[in-house]
PDB file of all heavy atoms in Angstrom:
ATOM      1  N   ASP G 311     -17.952  -0.807   8.379  1.00 98.00           N
ATOM      2  CA  ASP G 311     -18.062   0.610   8.742  1.00 98.00           C
ATOM      3  C   ASP G 311     -17.027   1.008   9.792  1.00 98.00           C
ATOM      4  O   ASP G 311     -16.525   2.134   9.793  1.00 98.00           O
ATOM      5  CB  ASP G 311     -19.469   0.905   9.266  1.00 98.00           C
ATOM      6  CG  ASP G 311     -20.507   0.912   8.166  1.00 98.00           C
ATOM      7  OD1 ASP G 311     -20.124   0.998   6.984  1.00 98.00           O
ATOM      8  OD2 ASP G 311     -21.704   0.812   8.499  1.00 98.00           O
ATOM      9  N   SER G 312     -16.695   0.070  10.662  1.00 97.00           N
ATOM     10  CA  SER G 312     -15.788   0.373  11.770  1.00 97.00           C
ATOM     11  C   SER G 312     -14.359   0.649  11.313  1.00 97.00           C
ATOM     12  O   SER G 312     -13.571   1.244  12.062  1.00 97.00           O
ATOM     13  CB  SER G 312     -15.793  -0.766  12.785  1.00 97.00           C
ATOM     14  OG  SER G 312     -15.397  -1.980  12.167  1.00 97.00           O
ATOM     15  N   VAL G 313     -14.001   0.216  10.093  1.00 98.00           N
ATOM     16  CA  VAL G 313     -12.633   0.408   9.615  1.00 98.00           C
ATOM     17  C   VAL G 313     -12.573   1.257   8.355  1.00 98.00           C
ATOM     18  O   VAL G 313     -11.465   1.586   7.887  1.00 98.00           O
ATOM     19  CB  VAL G 313     -11.935  -0.945   9.350  1.00 98.00           C
ATOM     20  CG1 VAL G 313     -12.010  -1.839  10.585  1.00 98.00           C
ATOM     21  CG2 VAL G 313     -12.520  -1.654   8.130  1.00 98.00           C
ATOM     22  N   LYS G 314     -13.719   1.616   7.814  1.00 98.00           N
ATOM     23  CA  LYS G 314     -13.754   2.376   6.559  1.00 98.00           C
ATOM     24  C   LYS G 314     -12.994   3.692   6.719  1.00 98.00           C
ATOM     25  O   LYS G 314     -13.186   4.421   7.701  1.00 98.00           O
ATOM     26  CB  LYS G 314     -15.207   2.623   6.170  1.00 98.00           C
ATOM     27  CG  LYS G 314     -15.427   2.941   4.713  1.00 98.00           C
ATOM     28  CD  LYS G 314     -16.919   2.952   4.388  1.00 98.00           C
ATOM     29  CE  LYS G 314     -17.513   1.571   4.494  1.00 98.00           C
ATOM     30  NZ  LYS G 314     -18.951   1.548   4.113  1.00 98.00           N
ATOM     31  N   GLY G 315     -12.129   3.969   5.758  1.00 97.00           N
ATOM     32  CA  GLY G 315     -11.333   5.183   5.814  1.00 97.00           C
ATOM     33  C   GLY G 315     -10.008   5.017   6.542  1.00 97.00           C
ATOM     34  O   GLY G 315      -9.140   5.892   6.463  1.00 97.00           O
ATOM     35  N   ARG G 316      -9.852   3.905   7.256  1.00 98.00           N
ATOM     36  CA  ARG G 316      -8.611   3.649   7.990  1.00 98.00           C
ATOM     37  C   ARG G 316      -7.855   2.432   7.451  1.00 98.00           C
ATOM     38  O   ARG G 316      -6.618   2.409   7.500  1.00 98.00           O
ATOM     39  CB  ARG G 316      -8.907   3.423   9.476  1.00 98.00           C
ATOM     40  CG  ARG G 316      -9.592   4.581  10.163  1.00 98.00           C
ATOM     41  CD  ARG G 316      -9.695   4.359  11.676  1.00 98.00           C
ATOM     42  NE  ARG G 316     -10.506   3.193  12.012  1.00 98.00           N
ATOM     43  CZ  ARG G 316     -10.051   2.164  12.730  1.00 98.00           C
ATOM     44  NH1 ARG G 316      -8.804   2.151  13.164  1.00 98.00           N
ATOM     45  NH2 ARG G 316     -10.855   1.141  13.010  1.00 98.00           N
ATOM     46  N   PHE G 317      -8.578   1.441   6.962  1.00 98.00           N
ATOM     47  CA  PHE G 317      -7.969   0.203   6.470  1.00 98.00           C
ATOM     48  C   PHE G 317      -8.076   0.127   4.949  1.00 98.00           C
ATOM     49  O   PHE G 317      -9.070   0.585   4.361  1.00 98.00           O
ATOM     50  CB  PHE G 317      -8.683  -1.013   7.063  1.00 98.00           C
ATOM     51  CG  PHE G 317      -8.443  -1.245   8.540  1.00 98.00           C
ATOM     52  CD1 PHE G 317      -7.840  -0.284   9.356  1.00 98.00           C
ATOM     53  CD2 PHE G 317      -8.812  -2.444   9.114  1.00 98.00           C
ATOM     54  CE1 PHE G 317      -7.630  -0.509  10.695  1.00 98.00           C
ATOM     55  CE2 PHE G 317      -8.613  -2.699  10.459  1.00 98.00           C
ATOM     56  CZ  PHE G 317      -8.026  -1.724  11.251  1.00 98.00           C
ATOM     57  N   THR G 318      -7.071  -0.485   4.332  1.00 98.00           N
ATOM     58  CA  THR G 318      -7.058  -0.667   2.884  1.00 98.00           C
ATOM     59  C   THR G 318      -6.567  -2.069   2.546  1.00 98.00           C
ATOM     60  O   THR G 318      -5.533  -2.503   3.064  1.00 98.00           O
ATOM     61  CB  THR G 318      -6.138   0.353   2.207  1.00 98.00           C
ATOM     62  OG1 THR G 318      -6.551   1.686   2.558  1.00 98.00           O
ATOM     63  CG2 THR G 318      -6.185   0.205   0.689  1.00 98.00           C
ATOM     64  N   ILE G 319      -7.306  -2.753   1.671  1.00 98.00           N
ATOM     65  CA  ILE G 319      -6.911  -4.075   1.193  1.00 98.00           C
ATOM     66  C   ILE G 319      -6.339  -3.938  -0.211  1.00 98.00           C
ATOM     67  O   ILE G 319      -6.907  -3.243  -1.063  1.00 98.00           O
ATOM     68  CB  ILE G 319      -8.111  -5.036   1.174  1.00 98.00           C
ATOM     69  CG1 ILE G 319      -8.661  -5.220   2.595  1.00 98.00           C
ATOM     70  CG2 ILE G 319      -7.720  -6.387   0.588  1.00 98.00           C
ATOM     71  CD1 ILE G 319      -9.945  -6.043   2.647  1.00 98.00           C
ATOM     72  N   SER G 320      -5.227  -4.616  -0.456  1.00 97.00           N
ATOM     73  CA  SER G 320      -4.599  -4.596  -1.771  1.00 97.00           C
ATOM     74  C   SER G 320      -4.012  -5.961  -2.074  1.00 97.00           C
ATOM     75  O   SER G 320      -3.967  -6.838  -1.208  1.00 97.00           O
ATOM     76  CB  SER G 320      -3.519  -3.517  -1.837  1.00 97.00           C
ATOM     77  OG  SER G 320      -2.496  -3.788  -0.898  1.00 97.00           O
ATOM     78  N   ARG G 321      -3.557  -6.143  -3.313  1.00 96.00           N
ATOM     79  CA  ARG G 321      -2.976  -7.415  -3.734  1.00 96.00           C
ATOM     80  C   ARG G 321      -1.669  -7.168  -4.473  1.00 96.00           C
ATOM     81  O   ARG G 321      -1.502  -6.136  -5.135  1.00 96.00           O
ATOM     82  CB  ARG G 321      -3.929  -8.142  -4.691  1.00 96.00           C
ATOM     83  CG  ARG G 321      -5.260  -8.475  -4.110  1.00 96.00           C
ATOM     84  CD  ARG G 321      -6.147  -9.166  -5.119  1.00 96.00           C
ATOM     85  NE  ARG G 321      -6.494  -8.319  -6.240  1.00 96.00           N
ATOM     86  CZ  ARG G 321      -7.385  -8.647  -7.160  1.00 96.00           C
ATOM     87  NH1 ARG G 321      -7.990  -9.834  -7.092  1.00 96.00           N
ATOM     88  NH2 ARG G 321      -7.653  -7.836  -8.160  1.00 96.00           N
ATOM     89  N   GLU G 322      -0.765  -8.121  -4.378  1.00 95.00           N
ATOM     90  CA  GLU G 322       0.468  -8.112  -5.156  1.00 95.00           C
ATOM     91  C   GLU G 322       0.552  -9.438  -5.874  1.00 95.00           C
ATOM     92  O   GLU G 322       0.849 -10.480  -5.274  1.00 95.00           O
ATOM     93  CB  GLU G 322       1.679  -7.898  -4.249  1.00 95.00           C
ATOM     94  CG  GLU G 322       2.978  -7.758  -5.030  1.00 95.00           C
ATOM     95  CD  GLU G 322       4.147  -7.377  -4.147  1.00 95.00           C
ATOM     96  OE1 GLU G 322       3.959  -7.147  -2.935  1.00 95.00           O
ATOM     97  OE2 GLU G 322       5.274  -7.286  -4.671  1.00 95.00           O
ATOM     98  N   TYR G 323       0.274  -9.411  -7.170  1.00 93.00           N
ATOM     99  CA  TYR G 323       0.160 -10.659  -7.929  1.00 93.00           C
ATOM    100  C   TYR G 323       1.469 -11.436  -7.950  1.00 93.00           C
ATOM    101  O   TYR G 323       1.461 -12.667  -7.845  1.00 93.00           O
ATOM    102  CB  TYR G 323      -0.276 -10.358  -9.359  1.00 93.00           C
ATOM    103  CG  TYR G 323      -1.648  -9.752  -9.463  1.00 93.00           C
ATOM    104  CD1 TYR G 323      -1.923  -8.773 -10.401  1.00 93.00           C
ATOM    105  CD2 TYR G 323      -2.684 -10.145  -8.625  1.00 93.00           C
ATOM    106  CE1 TYR G 323      -3.177  -8.200 -10.509  1.00 93.00           C
ATOM    107  CE2 TYR G 323      -3.936  -9.585  -8.724  1.00 93.00           C
ATOM    108  CZ  TYR G 323      -4.176  -8.617  -9.666  1.00 93.00           C
ATOM    109  OH  TYR G 323      -5.421  -8.055  -9.767  1.00 93.00           O
ATOM    110  N   ALA G 324       2.575 -10.754  -8.106  1.00 95.00           N
ATOM    111  CA  ALA G 324       3.865 -11.437  -8.231  1.00 95.00           C
ATOM    112  C   ALA G 324       4.183 -12.275  -7.000  1.00 95.00           C
ATOM    113  O   ALA G 324       4.876 -13.295  -7.103  1.00 95.00           O
ATOM    114  CB  ALA G 324       4.970 -10.414  -8.473  1.00 95.00           C
ATOM    115  N   LYS G 325       3.667 -11.841  -5.859  1.00 96.00           N
ATOM    116  CA  LYS G 325       3.915 -12.567  -4.614  1.00 96.00           C
ATOM    117  C   LYS G 325       2.702 -13.378  -4.176  1.00 96.00           C
ATOM    118  O   LYS G 325       2.736 -14.009  -3.118  1.00 96.00           O
ATOM    119  CB  LYS G 325       4.320 -11.596  -3.507  1.00 96.00           C
ATOM    120  CG  LYS G 325       5.637 -10.892  -3.764  1.00 96.00           C
ATOM    121  CD  LYS G 325       6.046 -10.016  -2.582  1.00 96.00           C
ATOM    122  CE  LYS G 325       7.402  -9.374  -2.812  1.00 96.00           C
ATOM    123  NZ  LYS G 325       7.824  -8.531  -1.670  1.00 96.00           N
ATOM    124  N   ASN G 326       1.632 -13.319  -4.990  1.00 96.00           N
ATOM    125  CA  ASN G 326       0.397 -14.033  -4.651  1.00 96.00           C
ATOM    126  C   ASN G 326      -0.035 -13.712  -3.217  1.00 96.00           C
ATOM    127  O   ASN G 326      -0.382 -14.617  -2.431  1.00 96.00           O
ATOM    128  CB  ASN G 326       0.553 -15.545  -4.837  1.00 96.00           C
ATOM    129  CG  ASN G 326      -0.735 -16.210  -5.285  1.00 96.00           C
ATOM    130  OD1 ASN G 326      -1.512 -15.646  -6.068  1.00 96.00           O
ATOM    131  ND2 ASN G 326      -0.971 -17.414  -4.801  1.00 96.00           N
ATOM    132  N   THR G 327      -0.008 -12.446  -2.908  1.00 97.00           N
ATOM    133  CA  THR G 327      -0.194 -11.976  -1.536  1.00 97.00           C
ATOM    134  C   THR G 327      -1.274 -10.902  -1.478  1.00 97.00           C
ATOM    135  O   THR G 327      -1.352 -10.046  -2.364  1.00 97.00           O
ATOM    136  CB  THR G 327       1.128 -11.410  -0.983  1.00 97.00           C
ATOM    137  OG1 THR G 327       2.098 -12.457  -0.950  1.00 97.00           O
ATOM    138  CG2 THR G 327       0.950 -10.847   0.419  1.00 97.00           C
ATOM    139  N   VAL G 328      -2.072 -10.968  -0.427  1.00 97.00           N
ATOM    140  CA  VAL G 328      -3.069  -9.944  -0.129  1.00 97.00           C
ATOM    141  C   VAL G 328      -2.617  -9.211   1.130  1.00 97.00           C
ATOM    142  O   VAL G 328      -2.141  -9.839   2.085  1.00 97.00           O
ATOM    143  CB  VAL G 328      -4.454 -10.569   0.107  1.00 97.00           C
ATOM    144  CG1 VAL G 328      -5.484  -9.486   0.431  1.00 97.00           C
ATOM    145  CG2 VAL G 328      -4.893 -11.360  -1.119  1.00 97.00           C
ATOM    146  N   TYR G 329      -2.786  -7.895   1.120  1.00 98.00           N
ATOM    147  CA  TYR G 329      -2.363  -7.078   2.252  1.00 98.00           C
ATOM    148  C   TYR G 329      -3.554  -6.391   2.913  1.00 98.00           C
ATOM    149  O   TYR G 329      -4.570  -6.110   2.263  1.00 98.00           O
ATOM    150  CB  TYR G 329      -1.385  -5.997   1.794  1.00 98.00           C
ATOM    151  CG  TYR G 329      -0.132  -6.518   1.155  1.00 98.00           C
ATOM    152  CD1 TYR G 329       0.024  -6.491  -0.231  1.00 98.00           C
ATOM    153  CD2 TYR G 329       0.895  -7.051   1.932  1.00 98.00           C
ATOM    154  CE1 TYR G 329       1.175  -6.973  -0.825  1.00 98.00           C
ATOM    155  CE2 TYR G 329       2.052  -7.525   1.343  1.00 98.00           C
ATOM    156  CZ  TYR G 329       2.187  -7.493  -0.033  1.00 98.00           C
ATOM    157  OH  TYR G 329       3.334  -7.976  -0.617  1.00 98.00           O
ATOM    158  N   LEU G 330      -3.388  -6.123   4.183  1.00 98.00           N
ATOM    159  CA  LEU G 330      -4.343  -5.286   4.910  1.00 98.00           C
ATOM    160  C   LEU G 330      -3.529  -4.181   5.573  1.00 98.00           C
ATOM    161  O   LEU G 330      -2.797  -4.435   6.545  1.00 98.00           O
ATOM    162  CB  LEU G 330      -5.102  -6.097   5.959  1.00 98.00           C
ATOM    163  CG  LEU G 330      -6.091  -5.310   6.824  1.00 98.00           C
ATOM    164  CD1 LEU G 330      -7.226  -4.745   5.979  1.00 98.00           C
ATOM    165  CD2 LEU G 330      -6.656  -6.184   7.943  1.00 98.00           C
ATOM    166  N   GLN G 331      -3.618  -2.979   5.019  1.00 98.00           N
ATOM    167  CA  GLN G 331      -2.946  -1.819   5.586  1.00 98.00           C
ATOM    168  C   GLN G 331      -3.883  -1.174   6.598  1.00 98.00           C
ATOM    169  O   GLN G 331      -5.022  -0.813   6.255  1.00 98.00           O
ATOM    170  CB  GLN G 331      -2.597  -0.820   4.482  1.00 98.00           C
ATOM    171  CG  GLN G 331      -1.982   0.478   4.993  1.00 98.00           C
ATOM    172  CD  GLN G 331      -0.603   0.288   5.581  1.00 98.00           C
ATOM    173  OE1 GLN G 331       0.229  -0.423   5.017  1.00 98.00           O
ATOM    174  NE2 GLN G 331      -0.345   0.898   6.728  1.00 98.00           N
ATOM    175  N   MET G 332      -3.404  -1.026   7.814  1.00 98.00           N
ATOM    176  CA  MET G 332      -4.227  -0.487   8.892  1.00 98.00           C
ATOM    177  C   MET G 332      -3.592   0.787   9.416  1.00 98.00           C
ATOM    178  O   MET G 332      -2.450   0.771   9.891  1.00 98.00           O
ATOM    179  CB  MET G 332      -4.365  -1.521  10.017  1.00 98.00           C
ATOM    180  CG  MET G 332      -4.947  -2.839   9.548  1.00 98.00           C
ATOM    181  SD  MET G 332      -5.094  -4.067  10.859  1.00 98.00           S
ATOM    182  CE  MET G 332      -3.387  -4.539  11.053  1.00 98.00           C
ATOM    183  N   ASN G 333      -4.319   1.876   9.311  1.00 98.00           N
ATOM    184  CA  ASN G 333      -3.843   3.181   9.778  1.00 98.00           C
ATOM    185  C   ASN G 333      -4.723   3.690  10.914  1.00 98.00           C
ATOM    186  O   ASN G 333      -5.862   3.241  11.083  1.00 98.00           O
ATOM    187  CB  ASN G 333      -3.846   4.181   8.619  1.00 98.00           C
ATOM    188  CG  ASN G 333      -2.939   3.789   7.487  1.00 98.00           C
ATOM    189  OD1 ASN G 333      -1.887   3.165   7.692  1.00 98.00           O
ATOM    190  ND2 ASN G 333      -3.317   4.147   6.276  1.00 98.00           N
ATOM    191  N   ASN G 334      -4.182   4.640  11.652  1.00 98.00           N
ATOM    192  CA  ASN G 334      -4.922   5.255  12.753  1.00 98.00           C
ATOM    193  C   ASN G 334      -5.568   4.182  13.646  1.00 98.00           C
ATOM    194  O   ASN G 334      -6.766   4.229  13.949  1.00 98.00           O
ATOM    195  CB  ASN G 334      -5.991   6.201  12.206  1.00 98.00           C
ATOM    196  CG  ASN G 334      -6.550   7.116  13.266  1.00 98.00           C
ATOM    197  OD1 ASN G 334      -5.929   7.334  14.308  1.00 98.00           O
ATOM    198  ND2 ASN G 334      -7.737   7.658  13.012  1.00 98.00           N
TER     199      ASN G 334
END
Side-chain angles (χ1 to χ4, degrees):
D311 287 344
S312 59
V313 306
K314 201 171 292 183
R316 301 187 297 122
F317 289 12
T318 303
I319 298 174
S320 62
R321 299 179 295 189
E322 185 173 356
Y323 296 143
K325 295 184 177 181
N326 213 36
T327 298
V328 179
Y329 300 103
L330 178 64
Q331 176 68 44
M332 303 179 286
N333 299 328
N334 194 20

